[in-house]
Amino acid sequence: MRNTRDGLNWPRAQALAARERAAYVASNPESARLAAESGRNLLFGVPMHWMNDWSTPFALAVDEASGARFRDVDGHEYVDFCLGDTGAMFGHAPPPVARAIERQATRGYTAMLPSADAAPVAAELARRFGLPYWQFALSASDANRFVLRWLRAATGRDKVLVFNGCYHGTVDDVFVDLVDGVPTQRDSLLGQVHALTDHTVVVEFNDLPALEAALAKGDVACVLAEPVMTNIGMVLPQPGYWEAAQRIIQRHGTLLVIDETHTISSGPGGYAQAHGMRADALVIGKPVGGGIPCAVYGFTEELARRVEQAKRGAPPGHSGVGTTLSANMFAMAAMRANLEQVMTDAAYRHMFALAATLAQGLGDVIARHKLAWCVTRVGARTEFQFAPTAPRNGGEAQAILDGELEQIIHLYLLNRGLLITPFHNMLLVCPGTGEADVARLLSTFDDCLRELV
């Protein structure tokens, strides 16, 4: 494996890390106090254990967030290029969504009945994404879980195929990787009591022969995929891959589920619409409600009929699909405002232009410091990766991750008022991001690399 640290002065990098940790501790006394207080009653000292995965010695506590910025409890302001890892992809507290939430706040939150927003939201989803029938959930994890259940019922097949290194939320079925070519349940998965490999097939992204062989048995209900892998570091489809993959999937009677939760950065209708893909089912999670917990999933006409038939043919009782808060009035109001007034063509044009500038600038800085790193972009989503060329599959993407190096860069940026996604090197721009914000990020990134080399 290529050394991701080629060209770096690693002793200097380690000294820089120690200096930046000390600077963070000195600058954030109120966050430190709250972290200590939280440790008395919060498991792992944070509301969710993964909030400890940032580069900081203790959690940074947020006071308020608006647009492309947030302020912490110690009064520091940050330009946010993480944006909730897509949850706030269109900025924090978009004004149209805030107004809709304010209005709905005095009109009820949940009633287990449809609100007046339900039909307009579904109609707008159908228009944007080209699928006529929709349902709702509280997260992409739930939406993916429900879709797998519906499709197994509709097809009578019990298996699902995913790509090595994928992430589709906390869906048990997807936590299977290839280890030395062998499908293996992820060691990190807690409390799993049955073998996921009995019902999950895994192949490498961009490997058409492997996909063909895996589907040939005729027992796979669906392929669940991001059109661009994102959570292990971005992995783009090779030219012609999805055209050929869709033919293989159709030939074996398998259904295609596209998870656009991250790739909605590709445009108002997501990656599939922008690139002419034809999914049988589509999932969109956290960005769709402007930051309010919600998700949507849609079906083709033909699949919707099969799903309805499966439900009507089953005995009465709980289907295992849906929760009492799914499609609640609060989330529906937020989704309607976000879809109609925030996720606009004009917003995407602004985001694409800034992301292009950001990607070009990152590439220029990396080249100036003679590092063999690359930059990958999907619409408003940009990432720098520790390899000379972008990885072709999850295995290659995993091999170039370097958590220690990532955290040094992230903390350096954070201490200078710039936040990027903690889990790899992903950056998002939103309608509230400005050219000066991008220029500031690039200048600070340049300073960081100068320290590292």
Side-chain angles (χ1 to χ4, degrees):
M1 183 185 78
R2 176 190 162 273
N3 188 346
T4 58
R5 299 171 184 177
D6 287 349
L8 303 180
N9 183 326
W10 196 245
R12 284 188 66 183
Q14 291 175 306
L16 177 63
R19 188 185 82 200
E20 294 301 317
R21 284 193 290 269
Y24 177 87
V25 171
S27 297
N28 294 281
E30 183 62 11
S31 279
R33 185 190 69 78
L34 289 172
E37 182 180 311
S38 297
R40 291 196 286 269
N41 297 105
L42 289 175
L43 194 63
F44 303 104
V46 282
M48 287 296 296
H49 66 86
W50 46 256
M51 290 181 179
N52 282 324
D53 292 345
W54 292 83
S55 57
T56 55
F58 47 82
L60 184 71
V62 176
D63 183 44
E64 60 178 345
S66 178
R69 285 165 168 72
F70 73 93
R71 186 181 300 276
D72 69 20
V73 293
D74 285 287
H76 306 125
E77 185 172 279
Y78 301 82
V79 181
D80 190 355
F81 289 93
C82 172
L83 296 169
D85 194 18
T86 314
M89 196 183 91
F90 302 100
H92 298 287
V97 177
R99 289 192 294 270
I101 290 171
E102 183 180 23
R103 179 175 182 271
Q104 193 62 45
T106 59
R107 297 168 61 87
Y109 306 152
T110 183
M112 292 180 64
L113 291 166
S115 69
D117 292 318
V121 169
E124 175 60 12
L125 292 170
R127 182 193 71 81
R128 279 177 182 255
F129 300 105
L131 296 174
Y133 291 99
W134 292 84
Q135 290 280 271
F136 300 88
L138 288 175
S139 68
S141 294
D142 273 350
N144 280 314
R145 191 176 293 113
F146 299 158
V147 167
L148 294 185
R149 190 175 288 274
W150 282 126
L151 269 55
R152 282 169 164 154
T155 63
R157 297 179 176 186
D158 67 339
K159 291 186 178 179
V160 57
L161 184 145
V162 296
F163 293 106
N164 183 37
C166 72
Y167 181 76
H168 299 283
T170 54
V171 179
D172 289 357
D173 307 72
V174 308
F175 290 108
V176 178
D177 293 324
L178 288 176
V179 178
D180 297 325
V182 179
T184 305
Q185 187 169 302
R186 255 178 229 181
D187 291 338
S188 60
L189 186 60
L190 295 171
Q192 183 60 43
V193 295
H194 66 268
L196 297 178
T197 50
D198 289 347
H199 300 286
T200 299
V201 179
V202 59
V203 300
E204 289 284 14
F205 195 61
N206 281 318
D207 189 338
L208 291 169
L211 180 65
E212 179 86 62
L215 298 183
K217 294 180 181 179
D219 57 354
V220 175
C222 66
V223 173
L224 172 60
E226 291 184 290
V228 174
M229 294 186 72
T230 62
N231 211 67
I232 198 165
M234 281 202 283
V235 181
L236 298 172
Q238 296 294 294
Y241 172 74
W242 273 120
E243 290 85 348
Q246 287 178 102
R247 289 194 293 271
I248 292 170
I249 292 166
Q250 291 167 358
R251 182 161 62 248
H252 293 290
T254 304
L255 299 167
L256 175 60
V257 183
I258 292 295
D259 184 346
E260 292 265 23
T261 299
H262 284 168
T263 54
I264 192 66
S265 65
S266 303
Y271 188 96
Q273 281 289 87
H275 295 268
M277 294 180 65
R278 296 180 61 84
D280 297 289
L282 191 75
V283 171
I284 310 163
K286 49 198 172 187
V288 75
I292 292 295
C294 59
V296 299
Y297 59 97
F299 296 143
T300 61
E301 172 100 28
E302 191 272 339
L303 179 54
R305 298 296 166 244
R306 293 172 70 181
V307 163
E308 289 177 335
Q309 183 178 6
K311 171 59 179 163
R312 289 169 179 151
H318 203 294
S319 64
V321 174
T323 65
T324 54
L325 290 177
S326 298
N328 66 79
M329 295 185 291
F330 207 68
M332 298 302 287
M335 279 189 281
R336 182 173 183 179
N338 201 54
L339 286 164
E340 293 179 352
Q341 301 176 61
V342 180
M343 292 175 62
T344 63
D345 292 347
Y348 274 98
R349 285 193 296 270
H350 172 82
M351 291 155 67
F352 286 176
L354 278 182
T357 299
L358 175 60
Q360 180 64 51
L362 289 170
D364 291 345
V365 171
I366 289 165
R368 185 155 57 247
H369 293 283
K370 298 181 173 58
L371 293 170
W373 300 354
C374 65
V375 177
T376 309
R377 182 171 77 91
V378 178
R381 187 182 184 95
T382 306
E383 185 162 311
F384 59 93
Q385 295 171 288
F386 304 137
T389 57
R392 294 168 298 176
N393 56 51
E396 291 184 6
Q398 178 68 46
I400 62 171
L401 294 179
D402 186 333
E404 190 175 0
L405 175 55
E406 290 168 10
Q407 291 211 340
I408 294 170
I409 296 171
H410 297 177
L411 185 55
Y412 186 97
L413 296 173
L414 181 72
N415 280 340
R416 288 151 185 83
L418 298 156
L419 187 76
I420 70 173
T421 304
F423 309 115
H424 34 95
N425 302 313
M426 192 278 292
L427 303 94
L428 281 164
V429 295
C430 72
T433 311
E435 292 181 3
D437 299 326
V438 170
R440 179 179 163 194
L441 183 284
L442 293 173
S443 175
T444 309
F445 182 62
D446 190 15
D447 293 341
C448 181
L449 295 194
R450 188 175 296 110
E451 296 257 20
L452 291 171
V453 299

